[in-house]
């Protein structure tokens, strides 16, 4: 039992760390790829193993126009906007802002009347946004307000996609849906890449190529698989707490590896964001912990973010 729990917690830790290095990897890959071509390469490579292992009948059921549309919007367009933003801002800023995605999705869920939250969660929301604002306005290094705004737009769009994805996954296999959406993202982004960035060409150095491959395996497929394994064995609250590792790792990588500024304002903003995330992950005073629920084996961003929202919505009353 102890060994199984240790393996589960190790998987959660590894997933959080791997998601945390996604923004730094994108920053490296953008030295040799345009944001749109990088999106094409990343999702084309990620779609191949998913299409291979998914059931053919379930793939056909998943290949509806709505699934394709939201996949292209929620994956391709979001990642293109993130790439454009990361080009124009620092890794530390981008990591913290992207970390707000599940908070925005939860707020939208409440606004649509699907759930309600307690005062602790609302305090966490406010602290997280205040921390992001403090870090974003402190500037310095390669950060820019324009880049931060592009990242914020991508986060808002991603939160909208996650709400739509909840409905799309009803009576459909999550693995098949993700495979279809990854493939659609690559196919639909390719003409845009040609129009905006010209014909594809391999980068002149190996670092962007390695970074793109790492994004596919280490930033997409592997962390989803690790998190799915762990989430089926622990409560959503425990799993969600480990996802707070993601913005910490991204912020730290920006400071250490990319020379992003780190002073009193950045420290205060980062700690404020983490405090907000911790509060949103805390169970409500009268809401019992929810039982664990299984996740798909690979690649389901909506399932991942539902799990990220669940800890925050432990105080959400149906």
């Amino acid at each position: 039992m102890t060994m199984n729990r240790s393996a589960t917690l190790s998987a959660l830790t590894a997933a959080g760390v791997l998601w945390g290095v996604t923004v730094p990897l994108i920053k490296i890959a953008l030295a040799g790829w345009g944001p749109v071509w990088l999106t094409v390469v990343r999702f084309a490579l990620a779609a191949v193993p998913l299409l291979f292992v998914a059931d053919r009948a379930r793939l056909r059921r998943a290949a509806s126009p709505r699934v394709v549309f939201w996949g292209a919007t929620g994956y391709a367009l979001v990642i293109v906007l993130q790439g454009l933003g990361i080009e124009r801002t620092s890794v530390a800023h981008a990591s913290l802002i992207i970390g707000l995605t599940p908070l925005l999705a939860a707020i939208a869920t409440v606004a649509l009347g699907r759930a309600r939250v307690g005062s602790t969660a609302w305090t966490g929301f406010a602290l997280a946004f205040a921390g992001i604002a403090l870090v974003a306005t402190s500037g310095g290094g390669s950060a820019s307000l324009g880049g931060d705004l592009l990242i914020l737009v991508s986060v808002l769009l991603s939160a909208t996609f996650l709400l739509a994805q909840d409905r799309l996954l009803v009576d459909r296999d999550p693995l098949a849906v993700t495979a279809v959406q990854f493939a659609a993202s690559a196919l639909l982004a390719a003409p845009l890449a040609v129009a905006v960035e010209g014909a594809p060409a391999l980068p002149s150095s190996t670092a962007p190529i390695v970074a793109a491959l790492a994004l596919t395996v280490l930033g997409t497929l592997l962390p989803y698989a690790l998190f799915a394994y762990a989430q089926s064995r622990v409560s959503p609250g425990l799993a969600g707490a480990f996802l707070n590792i993601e913005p910490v790792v991204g912020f730290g990588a920006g400071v250490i590896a990319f020379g992003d500024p780190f002073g009193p304002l950045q420290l205060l903003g980062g700690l404020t964001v983490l405090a907000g995330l911790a509060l949103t992950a805390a169970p409500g005073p009268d809401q019992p912990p929810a039982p664990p629920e299984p996740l798909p084996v690979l690649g389901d961003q909506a399932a991942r973010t539902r799990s990220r929202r669940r800890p925050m919505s432990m105080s959400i009353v149906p």
Side-chain angles (χ1 to χ4, degrees):
M1 179 68 71
T2 301
M3 184 176 296
N4 289 339
R5 184 171 179 81
S6 177
T8 299
L9 297 181
S10 296
L12 287 171
T13 302
V17 171
L18 289 172
W19 274 318
V21 301
T22 299
V23 173
L25 286 174
I26 291 175
K27 192 77 166 181
I28 296 171
L30 288 173
W33 308 87
V36 190
W37 273 119
L38 178 60
T39 301
V40 174
V41 170
R42 179 179 178 181
F43 285 117
L45 292 176
V48 171
L50 298 183
L51 291 170
F52 179 77
V53 301
D55 179 81
R56 294 295 175 266
R58 295 180 178 182
L59 280 173
R60 288 192 292 271
R61 176 171 175 75
S64 72
R66 289 180 64 233
V67 170
V68 170
F69 169 79
W70 279 110
T73 302
Y75 287 119
L77 182 56
V78 164
I79 298 303
V80 167
L81 288 173
Q82 285 184 6
L84 291 171
I86 292 170
E87 276 188 326
R88 294 162 173 80
T89 195
S90 68
V91 169
H93 281 209
S95 297
L96 287 179
I97 296 171
I98 291 172
L100 289 177
T101 302
L103 302 188
L104 290 171
I107 291 172
T109 301
V110 174
L112 292 173
R114 298 185 190 176
R116 61 186 179 90
V117 299
S119 58
T120 299
W122 283 117
T123 302
F125 294 157
L127 281 176
F129 285 115
I132 291 296
L134 181 59
V135 172
T137 56
S138 61
S142 61
S144 72
L145 184 59
D148 288 350
L149 288 175
L150 281 170
I151 299 292
L152 182 59
V153 171
S154 77
V155 167
L156 291 169
L157 184 58
S158 182
T160 303
F161 160 66
L162 293 168
L163 293 179
Q165 189 82 326
D166 278 346
R167 303 292 178 88
L168 296 176
L169 289 170
V170 174
D171 296 328
R172 292 187 175 97
D173 176 39
L175 180 63
V177 169
T178 303
V180 168
Q181 290 179 330
F182 278 7
S185 297
L187 290 173
L188 295 177
L192 178 62
V194 173
V196 174
E197 299 173 355
L202 284 176
S204 57
S205 61
T206 58
I209 298 175
V210 172
L213 293 174
L215 269 174
T216 302
V217 178
L218 301 180
T220 306
L221 297 174
L222 185 56
Y224 283 115
L226 288 169
F227 193 76
Y229 162 82
Q231 174 63 13
S232 64
R233 290 161 173 80
V234 298
S235 69
L238 178 59
F242 277 81
L243 287 167
N244 292 332
I245 295 172
E246 181 180 350
V248 176
V249 171
F251 187 88
V255 172
I256 296 171
F258 294 87
D260 292 343
F262 185 72
L265 289 178
Q266 286 81 10
L267 176 61
L268 178 60
L271 291 176
T272 303
V273 171
L274 294 180
L277 291 174
L279 286 176
T280 59
D286 55 0
Q287 180 73 5
E293 57 182 347
L295 287 182
V297 175
L298 291 173
D300 179 15
Q301 180 179 356
R304 167 197 167 195
T305 305
R306 282 201 305 275
S307 294
R308 298 181 69 170
R309 293 203 309 270
R310 286 290 298 279
M312 160 176 52
S313 58
M314 296 292 282
S315 56
I316 293 178
V317 180

